[in-house]
Amino acid sequence: VSAMRTSQLQFHTRREAPQDAEARSHQLLVRGNYIRRLSSGIYHFMPLGYRVLTKVKAVIAEEFAEIGSSEVLLPALHPAELWEATGRRAVMDDVLFAIESKSGSFVLGPTHEEAAIHALAPDLASWRDLPASVFQIQTKFRDEPRARFGLMRTREFIMADGYTFDRDREAMRKSYANFREAYAKIFSRLCLNALAVEADSGAIGGDVNHEFMVPSVIGEDHFAECADCGYRANTEAATRGRREPATGGQRGLKEYVTPGAPGVTQAVKALVDQGEDVTQGSMLKCLVAKDSDGNTLVYAIPGDRELKLPAGVSLVSEDFFESHPGFVKGYIGPVGTAERGARLIVDPLVLEREWWASGANKADTHLVGLVPGRDFSPDEVTDLVWVIDGDDCPRCGGTLRLIRSVEIGHTFQLGTVYTARLNYARFTDSEGAQMPYWMGCYGIGVTRLLAVIAEQFSSQDQGLVWPVSVAPFAVSVIGVGGSSSKEVFDEVNTLSQLLDAAGIEVLQEDRGESSGVIFNDMELIGSPVWCVVGRRSLQEQMIEVRDRMNGVTELVPVPEVVGYVAQLLERLSQIIR
Amino acid sequence: VSAMRTSQLQFHTRREAPQDAEARSHQLLVRGNYIRRLSSGIYHFMPLGYRVLTKVKAVIAEEFAEIGSSEVLLPALHPAELWEATGRRAVMDDVLFAIESKSGSFVLGPTHEEAAIHALAPDLASWRDLPASVFQIQTKFRDEPRARFGLMRTREFIMADGYTFDRDREAMRKSYANFREAYAKIFSRLCLNALAVEADSGAIGGDVNHEFMVPSVIGEDHFAECADCGYRANTEAATRGRREPATGGQRGLKEYVTPGAPGVTQAVKALVDQGEDVTQGSMLKCLVAKDSDGNTLVYAIPGDRELKLPAGVSLVSEDFFESHPGFVKGYIGPVGTAERGARLIVDPLVLEREWWASGANKADTHLVGLVPGRDFSPDEVTDLVWVIDGDDCPRCGGTLRLIRSVEIGHTFQLGTVYTARLNYARFTDSEGAQMPYWMGCYGIGVTRLLAVIAEQFSSQDQGLVWPVSVAPFAVSVIGVGGSSSKEVFDEVNTLSQLLDAAGIEVLQEDRGESSGVIFNDMELIGSPVWCVVGRRSLQEQMIEVRDRMNGVTELVPVPEVVGYVAQLLERLSQIIR
């Protein structure tokens, strides 16, 4: 192997990013010809993109092997029965690509819990065969309604997914800890500031699980963080710390006529106009819902908060109000909920204020001065609101901040949630009983990582500056100041060979293009270090070494360049973003 | 990295092969736990199988990179329009997995000519951008009606597929020659006796193309080979060398009543019973067909040959005979074909005999003594029969032999067959004209290679004996004669570390199982070399080294083992099967 030359890169960079590319990473990956769109959410990986992908995959595979997980490759085509057996054919129906063919009904795997159990169960008949751990790096398919940000959310993507099988909860937790440790090493080698965040399990299921989030402007998610105690949870899972209920609410109850003011904003205005000192935060917002058993529920939360609807519950539609005249749409209040055949469920925040304004359960009328416990009594107190910036930490009482971020990995302690449903997912325990495996599963979005790394390691001015571990080339060697100069040409060649011999991946510029073209390309190819050989500096036996990550340029004596670059690369590998 | 230990292999070998496993390779790959069936033609790659797969992929990727081809990754999900634009949505309909989803109509790629053109055309606007060459190693999907022999014919499989783009036929031929050279190196490194065979282009299209065939008992195909001149062609493409037409046919014509003898076999019997010296080889078999324009054709071939029906032609059905009383089913002969409104087309073999027996075009009647040119005159002479063992070579007149074989690769000079149909597949030539690319495409069946290598490098007695380049482990180090012996245990450990330090991939047996269990497993894991450490030989400072490929065992002094093994592996790498 010798140093790669730019003339050997078969494909061009482009001047323009596609119009639909909002994210900087998306623009740069397309302009640099790393990826090309075939269809919405479906991309070709061009040679440079494939090169980065290969490096990311290698880091993941090495660290998973390091914790004793064996690499496998499970199929993408799954017989539909496989998914029917666990009930997920229905649960994940909206994202499954389904195939009806001559040879049967299939789905394209969006994840591989079922397939992994099918592959491994025959080998894991006894507790002596456990623990077992496998992983694969494989293409997945999801019929995403909103493909976006280039590789961030796609319909065909590569995941690294691990699966562990254990005899009991404690052993499962050990396997889980091993994978979390591997995750930490992987993200550190990829130079990403990935934070483990408590998460909701969604369509995968199970108890404990963590998302790995990188704070980023292109994040589609948020997590809540407490700087004091380190509590981190995504917004689905995060709760707010409760305060003491307010006591001593003495204010009298007053009724106001508020015609045409069904919403919180209008009600506040109507009440303020009549001299009341109310705000959105002192309005009690009451929402009518039905649970899965058909019970009517009234949820009450502060007017400046958003309801986090519990699973299995849905808000009632227009029809409900027409057929239930006791519930006056836009004027629902907490008083007399039981008399109307409903349960009143309130967020803890409702008890933390002395009095509230709310609807009066009759048209065009509001009440001000509703005191919890005096004027209404909740049937249940439970967390009902999305956390917001500034809420109390549920663990230590500190202050929560919401951080925009991208999910790059997810780990799940599944327990027996799948294996209990599959009669072949059993092992014989040490007492001879047939028990379901305790499973863990672990996913990293490999193609998404390219987008995240490109976003974190780029700027509008500099273009891409890849981390050393995944850069297509660690160093670009470029001659400037006259392609006609034989000295420059020779030194570019010699230095490239020396760097290559030192085990450093080099891209040697050899096309004789103008500096403008060369540096434009080089900003898109994104080597973190450039060695720029100029005629004038070469006369003084110096070469310019640019540390693009820190924006520092040094003139280095020719004989010292290789050693200097090697040390620089070592230092740059430690930069985490 | 240190030597792998058998205790770290997480999964078991199995005693029994599945009942549907006919091929030895299929049995061994399942018993050795390389693969596991998820569904018909869909397999899990277990850790050992994935290990072999990775090695095969690496050999291919290295050799393709060596000829300057860049690795890419094209999607598996293709918008249906992509396939409609070239007309192949219809042509390949019977093997395409089609998907109708919320986000549109897709097909799963069974091959990637269209996708490759889509990915590359924007980069190849000018003749200056050519030639271009890419490849990928990627999963393909075909709705195979007959999945069989394990990995031999599957519905989901891995292919290595290359695509070249050139400015004219001559340049295309150069690119083609480069890939053929890479193929030769790949198959040689994989220790396979792969022969390039002239082939028919089938659903892919184009002019010149070659299949790469490995002679094998599990072959589903045959090719014809001439030992004299090296001519090789698959049976679809092979033709037989023509001989001089016979002259001097003087025999008189005689009519026989042959009731109830419509087939060749019955007719021969009826005529022999009446004293005629006829055989199947002297019967002229006449078959009625229709071409795509609706013309009626009569094909005449010797009675002991099979008709190779030309493309676009189909034999007529029962209805035809009912509505065309001039054609008497079972008694069709060559005489008077033109009068019945049909064309008579004969194989050259028909002219090479002085006289024939055939149907008389009336019920229960045959004619004997039909002399070509006197009694009937063909409208056309063309190759109509499948070649058989012993036919003349069309190139040198030598003798053709049919060889059962497996296709492991295929290369195509596509020319402009696809690019002419796609208005975006154009470059500006040196005179400023818009021209379609001249394309080549090149495919290797990667997962199928595992089956072929396993078949060629195994036996019923020895189990698997993998070639060094793809063996999960080049060497297995095994202690026998007492797991209780600390000396044996220590030497197994020491030798494993020494081999590992010498860059040799080692599997170290460390489970303390019985010799029966160990050797049974080792035959399935299939290292080509075993180092067997026994208590007795160790006392004499000797270790048994087994060359499993040649069936030779040597006692080697302990200090010489590493060097001996390294040289042995070098020699074994040269064995081609």
Side-chain angles (χ1 to χ4, degrees), chain A residues 75-151:
Chain A
L77 268 182
H78 298 177
E81 311 90 88
L82 192 69
W83 283 73
E84 277 149 15
T86 55
R88 285 213 297 182
R89 179 75 183 79
V91 173
M92 293 190 73
D93 187 56
D94 55 332
V95 297
L96 286 175
F97 281 112
I99 298 174
E100 296 301 329
S101 82
K102 293 194 302 294
S103 34
S105 299
F106 297 94
V107 299
L108 290 179
T111 175
H112 278 68
E113 286 75 20
E114 285 84 352
I117 297 170
H118 181 278
L120 268 62
D123 278 321
L124 309 175
S126 151
W127 64 274
R128 290 186 187 82
D129 300 320
L130 302 175
S133 173
V134 297
F135 74 99
Q136 62 173 347
I137 302 181
Q138 190 252 17
T139 301
K140 312 252 183 261
F141 301 87
R142 281 186 205 215
D143 197 359
E144 279 289 348
R146 307 171 295 124
R148 65 187 296 208
F149 287 162
L151 298 180

Side-chain angles (χ1 to χ4, degrees), chain B residues 180 194-201 207-215 221-227 229-241 308 383 385-389 391-395 399-407 409-410:
Chain B
R180 276 198 57 173
L195 302 167
V197 161
E198 290 176 26
D200 195 67
S201 58
D207 296 333
V208 177
N209 74 91
H210 292 89
E211 283 178 356
F212 289 75
M213 309 290 274
V214 174
D221 303 307
H222 285 87
F223 66 86
E225 180 178 55
C226 170
C229 74
Y231 170 81
R232 290 194 195 102
N234 73 4
T235 47
E236 281 80 14
T239 53
R240 138 188 191 281
K308 188 197 281 186
D383 293 309
V385 300
W386 295 93
V387 297
I388 57 173
D389 232 53
D391 270 344
D392 291 351
C393 171
R395 198 181 283 164
T399 305
L400 294 179
R401 293 286 160 219
L402 285 191
I403 298 176
R404 180 177 286 278
S405 56
V406 182
E407 179 193 340
H410 207 153

Side-chain angles (χ1 to χ4, degrees), chain A residues 393-516:
Chain A
C393 171
R395 199 180 283 162
C396 76
T399 305
L400 293 180
R401 293 287 160 218
L402 284 192
I403 298 177
R404 181 178 285 279
S405 56
V406 182
E407 180 194 342
I408 55 172
H410 207 153
T411 54
F412 296 87
Q413 290 181 18
L414 294 175
T416 59
V417 66
Y418 294 108
T419 52
R421 292 179 216 165
L422 299 171
N423 59 13
Y424 58 86
R426 297 283 183 280
F427 69 98
T428 309
D429 75 6
S430 54
E431 265 115 52
Q434 290 292 299
M435 304 296 287
Y437 308 114
W438 286 75
M439 253 184 106
C441 74
Y442 317 92
I444 295 179
V446 180
T447 40
R448 172 178 285 190
L449 273 175
L450 261 68
V452 175
I453 298 171
E455 189 71 33
Q456 301 300 95
F457 288 88
S458 65
S459 67
Q460 216 60 54
D461 297 343
Q462 285 216 86
L464 286 159
V465 187
W466 290 106
V468 179
S469 56
V470 303
F473 306 95
V475 177
S476 292
V477 181
I478 305 160
V480 292
S483 55
S484 54
S485 161
K486 187 171 179 326
E487 292 74 32
V488 168
F489 180 85
D490 287 348
E491 181 56 32
V492 165
N493 207 23
T494 307
L495 178 58
S496 298
Q497 286 176 28
L498 288 172
L499 287 165
D500 185 66
I504 294 169
E505 280 192 303
V506 179
L507 178 64
Q508 174 180 351
E509 177 57 56
D510 69 338
R511 294 172 301 170
E513 293 278 2
S514 72
S515 293

Side-chain angles (χ1 to χ4, degrees), chain A residues 10 12 14 33 36-37 44-45 50 70-71 73 76-77 94 102-103 118-119 123 129 132-133 143 156, chain B residues 10 12 14 33 36 44-45 50 70-73 76-77 94 102-103 118-119 123 129 132-133 143 156:
Chain A
Q10 296 189 66
H12 307 295
R14 15 205 100 246
N33 213 344
R36 177 162 298 152
R37 182 180 175 281
H44 303 293
F45 282 83
Y50 189 74
S70 301
E71 190 159 4
L73 181 64
L77 268 182
D94 55 332
K102 293 194 302 294
S103 34
H118 181 278
D123 278 321
D129 300 320
S133 173
D143 197 359
E156 175 172 347
Chain B
Q10 297 189 64
H12 308 295
R14 16 205 99 245
N33 212 343
R36 178 163 298 153
H44 303 293
F45 282 84
Y50 189 74
S70 302
E71 189 158 5
V72 298
L73 182 64
L77 268 183
D94 55 330
K102 292 195 302 293
S103 36
H118 181 277
D123 279 321
D129 301 320
S133 173
D143 197 358
E156 175 172 347

Side-chain angles (χ1 to χ4, degrees), chain B residues 33-34 61 152 195 295 315 383 386 433 546 569:
Chain B
N33 212 343
Y34 293 80
M152 277 293 297
L195 302 167
N295 301 312
L315 294 180
D383 293 309
W386 295 93
R546 288 199 200 166
L569 291 172

